Each structure stands twice: as C-alpha cells, then as structure tokens.
Amino acid sequence: MKAVQFSEHGETSVLEYDEFPDPDVGDDEVLVDVKAGALNHLDVWTRRGLPGVELEMPHIPGSDAAGVVTDVGADVSRFEEGDRVAVCAGRYCGECEACRDGREPECDSYHLIGEHVRGVHAEQAAVPAENLVPVPDHVDWKTAASSSLVFQTAWRMLMTQAELKQGESILVLGASGGVGHAAVQIADHAGAEVYATASTEEKLEYAKECGADHVVNYEEESFSKFVYEHTDGRGVDVVVDHIGPATWDDSTKALTKGGRLVTCGATTGPKAETNINRLFWNQLELLGSTMATPGEIDDVLPLVWDGTFEPRVREVLPMSEAQRAHEMLQEREGFGKVVVVPDSEYDG
C-alpha cells in the first residue's frame, strides 16, 4: 500500500508518500480501506518530535480517518465487511482505576493512534475495533474523516470539564483552528454568549458563521481588554486556551471571578507563568482536558452526523501532497480542517 511516512523527525521535507507493507489484522482489529484522513496540529508536533515519545520508524502519522471495513479480526463482532467507519484515536487499558471509573482519558497508559503508535494516513489501516465508530450512509467522507478528534476534544472541554451552562459567556481562542471552530459551535449550541479570537478579518467572519457573537483580531488589539470592555468589566465565565504561554496571562485576565480556564494543548510552548494572586483572589479554576470518553464521543458525533455541527474544511489534498498539508497547519493558513485523501481516491 501507499502511506504518508517519515523516517526521522524534522520539517515537512521528511514526509514521503511511498510504499509501505500492508497491515496485518490482529484478532481485535478491523482493516479499513481509508477514503479520507484529516490533519491536526498534533501531526506537526509528532513529525517534529515530542519529548519522551520514541516512535517506531518509519512512522505513519494521522489520528483522523474514515473509510470502509474490508476485513475483521477473529474476536471482532461490532463490525463487518462493508461497514462505514471513522477512527477515534484514544487508546486506553480498560483495567486501571480511571478506566474502571469511566475516565478513560485519564488512563495510566493513555496514548493516541498517530502520536505514539503508527497512524492512519495511508491507503489501509488496521485499527482496534474499540477505536472505530459507525458512520451513517449520508455522511460524506470529508466530514467523517475530519470530525472525530476536534469535536470530541472540544465537547469534553466545554461540557464535561468546564461544565458550560446556558446563558454563560465563553471566550474561544484560536477560533479558526480545528478545536477552536468546534468549540465555537458547541458553545453556541449550548446557549452561551460566544467571544472568539482570530488573526484576520476573513477568519473572524468564519468564526461568526460558526456561531460567535463577538469577535476580536488578537493581532490588532488585546483580547482581554476587548472582553473587559464588552462585558462592562465583568469578564467571561469560561476561557478555552490551547495556545499556552503567549496567551495565558491575558486568558486569566479575561475571566470573571469564579471563572474557569480550560486547556487541551499549548501550541506556543509547555510552560506559562500564572499570576497566583489573580488566581486565588478571583477564585479561578484551571482545568486540563484530553480527548474524550467513549460516552462523550457517543454524545457529540451524532450531532455532527445530523448536521447540527459541521467541520469546516479549508482544503482537500492528495496524500502525496502531505508536505503542503502540514505547511498549511503550521503556517496557520485558512480556516478549519485540512483533509488528505489517498491518491488512488483523489478526484481533484
């Protein structure tokens, strides 16, 4: 088969689309004929190399994909040949205290397909059956491939960790990205007043289309001052910050007393300074979040399949142009998801 792959960490030049051995199907696995995949910023970080993560080389990236089942392992009963499926990348042991308590993202051995083990940006992928969800016939492959990671991540952040309620206010940073544009839609659906940041007027208009009530260009003005002025000095109830050090201080400034800051990542680095006086005096909550439980996935993806939520796709490229796809993410070009399709499936 053909697969996107790299044999060493580095910039986009290390990516190749070349022959790779066909996958063997384990007893608990399903063989998927991949129709489309989608990129996340995680793919950029994995390609560059993550501290403490040693990969089997060559590595196939990709945590998002969708396709058709062509074979199933001996122990698989949930799926059969011809089923349409999408990948949910989180892997967990099922036996530790967190897993037994229904908190799978807190599993002692939690890891992701595409980040810690070989991913799914290939013509075929052997995926554990528990990491697949059915896709209805009416859902197109672009939607099926680009929804899982960002919508489950945003759903857990807002609905479970931050416990966003109708009538509250929320600020979503980086609203033009995958998680950001999913968070805007979920917050709007939940009945919140949504503030959103982006770096261009075009991206701000897209954020409005996704449900943002107020938008601010963070390149031109302070988003915390914008929030302060538009809330009569109150601040918002929740801030979604997956940027990190570059925005952390302003994010805590933007919160009302008793507000919650929830994060699922740190694109500008892992270490940020926190004003502890502001933290305790304003009685703020800092919340971490990673991926989602199977139950949360079952809650959110049907809302994608029925059209309540929509992954916005900025570009569809053949997998042979994976270098260009990675460049679009790391250079912050456009709004929404970048989809990659096996060359054998690409129709231009």
Side-chain angles (χ1 to χ4, degrees), residues 190-271:
E193 184 174 9
V194 184
Y195 294 77
T197 75
S199 60
T200 68
E201 292 305 311
E202 181 183 19
K203 291 178 180 179
L204 293 174
E205 286 303 313
Y206 276 119
K208 288 181 182 178
E209 290 179 13
C210 286
D213 301 295
H214 314 277
V215 295
V216 55
N217 187 329
Y218 65 82
E219 297 279 11
E220 297 179 353
E221 60 180 307
S222 164
F223 66 80
S224 62
K225 181 179 290 187
F226 178 90
V227 167
Y228 185 86
E229 292 173 349
H230 284 74
T231 59
D232 294 325
R234 177 185 183 274
V236 293
D237 297 292
V238 176
V239 172
V240 174
D241 185 336
H242 48 90
I243 312 300
T247 55
W248 194 257
D249 189 59
D250 275 336
S251 289
T252 60
K253 286 181 182 178
L255 285 168
T256 189
K257 288 191 174 183
R260 294 97 73 194
L261 189 158
V262 62
T263 180
C264 68
T267 57
T268 57
K271 296 182 180 181

Side-chain angles (χ1 to χ4, degrees), residues 54-108:
E54 294 187 11
L55 300 176
E56 180 182 2
M57 295 294 189
H59 180 71
I60 298 175
S63 300
D64 271 333
V68 177
V69 173
T70 57
D71 195 9
V72 298
D75 296 336
V76 175
S77 58
R78 289 181 58 218
F79 300 103
E80 60 185 24
E81 187 175 338
D83 285 349
R84 306 171 89 245
V85 294
V87 175
C88 294
R91 300 284 294 130
Y92 47 88
C93 73
E95 299 176 355
C96 69
E97 177 184 351
C99 286
R100 294 197 307 272
D101 195 39
R103 296 179 286 113
E104 290 87 353
E106 299 173 37
C107 174
D108 292 338

Side-chain angles (χ1 to χ4, degrees), residues 17 43 66 82 87 96 241 275 282 307 327 343:
Y17 185 62
D43 296 305
V87 175
C96 69
D241 185 336
N275 185 323
N282 289 346
E327 288 171 358
D343 285 38

Side-chain angles (χ1 to χ4, degrees), residues 173-188:
L173 304 188
S176 64
V179 170
H181 90 297
V184 169
Q185 293 181 60
I186 292 168
D188 179 55

Side-chain angles (χ1 to χ4, degrees), residues 6 118 124-125 145 165-166 194 243 299 307 312 317 319 329:
F6 57 84
R118 283 174 176 157
Q124 299 179 76
K165 298 177 180 63
Q166 183 177 2
V194 184
I243 312 300
D299 286 339
R312 302 300 175 95
L317 296 170
M319 286 188 180
L329 255 69

